[in-house]
Amino acid sequence: MCLSLIRSLHISLAGESISNGKDAKQSSTDDIHVASRALDISYLNSGSLTARGNLSWWDLDLRGYFTISNITLTARNSTVTHMTNAYVEVADKDISLCSDVQAVWCGAVPHGIAPGEKVTFTCNGIAPVRFVRVTRRSPNHIPLAIGHVDVQGEGATKPYRSHYKPSPNKKMLQPFLATSATTVGDCGIVCHKHHSCIDFSYSATAPTDDNCLLTDKALTSVHIKDNSWTTYTIYCI
């Protein structure tokens, strides 16, 4: 494994951003500074901000499995000490929910980072991951503040067998793919092969050209009266 860290006020590494429009959450939120603000460059001045705590974290769900090329954290233009010594990890599952997470430590933000400064982590050789987490421990209960987070990489196949929890009488609203499947198992295999698929809906009696619906977004299924549809959500084991 090769691990490196780059500090620069101006360098921007080329590559495809895979973090834009994805889902972010954090351990707590101070006022309006929600986790998603750290993914929007227009909020660079204020970014995301947790409440005071001894263990604060910010978590990004990439909504699929990817090989990461680099992760860039940009300090806010104010209260930059709130990002000092924070460390970055990547994982195959949600660290806050799952007990069998394969997490890899990528590096820590150095002390004395300047306003607007970028810190880029490269974690070469790491297996495909889905989650990026920034964590900060503070005995003085100083919050975690992040100006902007950018993750670059490319799609990869899921690194392990998928397991899904069924929810009867639920169907996808806006699937990114509607296809046919002979059985629910076949539909699950189709979902597994698409690195961005996290949930799917299946019906044994719907027309065979659209009885398998795949989604890469959370909370896109609704309850319906047709009990032939079931939505299957990936979960931790």
Side-chain angles (χ1 to χ4, degrees):
M1 179 185 300
C2 176
L3 177 68
S4 63
L5 181 150
I6 304 170
R7 297 182 66 184
S8 175
L9 289 170
H10 305 292
I11 291 178
S12 177
L13 300 184
E16 179 183 358
S17 176
I18 57 175
S19 51
N20 292 337
K22 300 302 173 65
D23 295 338
K25 63 182 180 180
Q26 56 192 9
S27 54
S28 59
T29 300
D30 181 90
D31 197 18
I32 62 172
H33 303 97
V34 296
S36 60
R37 289 167 69 107
L39 296 175
D40 189 338
I41 194 66
S42 65
Y43 289 111
L44 178 60
N45 288 335
S46 55
S48 64
L49 178 65
T50 68
R52 295 173 63 86
N54 187 24
L55 179 63
S56 300
W57 52 263
W58 181 93
D59 193 79
L60 170 65
D61 184 350
L62 293 170
R63 313 311 291 171
Y65 292 89
F66 297 85
T67 299
I68 304 298
S69 57
N70 59 72
I71 302 168
T72 300
L73 270 61
T74 305
R76 303 197 311 174
N77 288 329
S78 60
T79 60
V80 294
T81 56
H82 292 176
M83 200 173 79
T84 296
N85 298 329
Y87 57 91
V88 178
E89 295 175 292
V90 293
D92 62 339
K93 300 179 184 177
D94 189 336
I95 296 176
S96 64
L97 298 177
C98 308
S99 60
D100 60 339
V101 176
Q102 296 293 319
V104 176
W105 188 87
C106 293
V109 176
H111 182 74
I113 187 171
E117 183 176 358
K118 296 181 179 180
V119 182
T120 297
F121 304 90
T122 58
C123 304
N124 299 330
I126 296 175
V129 298
R130 175 173 164 178
F131 293 89
V132 176
R133 170 167 286 214
V134 182
T135 305
R136 188 173 192 274
R137 299 180 183 274
S138 173
N140 296 324
H141 296 268
I142 298 175
L144 168 65
I146 304 174
H148 186 248
V149 178
D150 180 65
V151 182
Q152 297 185 354
E154 58 183 12
T157 56
K158 293 181 176 66
Y160 53 82
R161 186 176 181 179
S162 297
H163 295 261
Y164 300 91
K165 179 179 179 180
S167 297
N169 301 90
K170 294 189 73 174
K171 181 182 179 182
M172 292 298 162
L173 282 176
Q174 296 179 319
F176 73 81
L177 175 65
T179 186
S180 62
T182 305
T183 66
V184 63
D186 291 336
C187 186
I189 291 173
V190 175
C191 181
H192 181 85
K193 289 181 177 179
H194 285 76
H195 72 272
S196 60
C197 179
I198 58 172
D199 303 334
F200 68 90
S201 295
Y202 175 78
S203 171
T205 59
T208 55
D209 58 345
D210 61 356
N211 68 337
C212 177
L213 311 177
L214 277 56
T215 184
D216 57 357
K217 297 179 175 61
L219 304 176
T220 58
S221 61
V222 295
H223 286 282
I224 57 174
K225 294 182 179 180
D226 184 353
N227 59 13
S228 72
W229 283 97
T230 299
T231 291
Y232 297 81
T233 303
I234 194 166
Y235 74 107
C236 304
I237 57 171

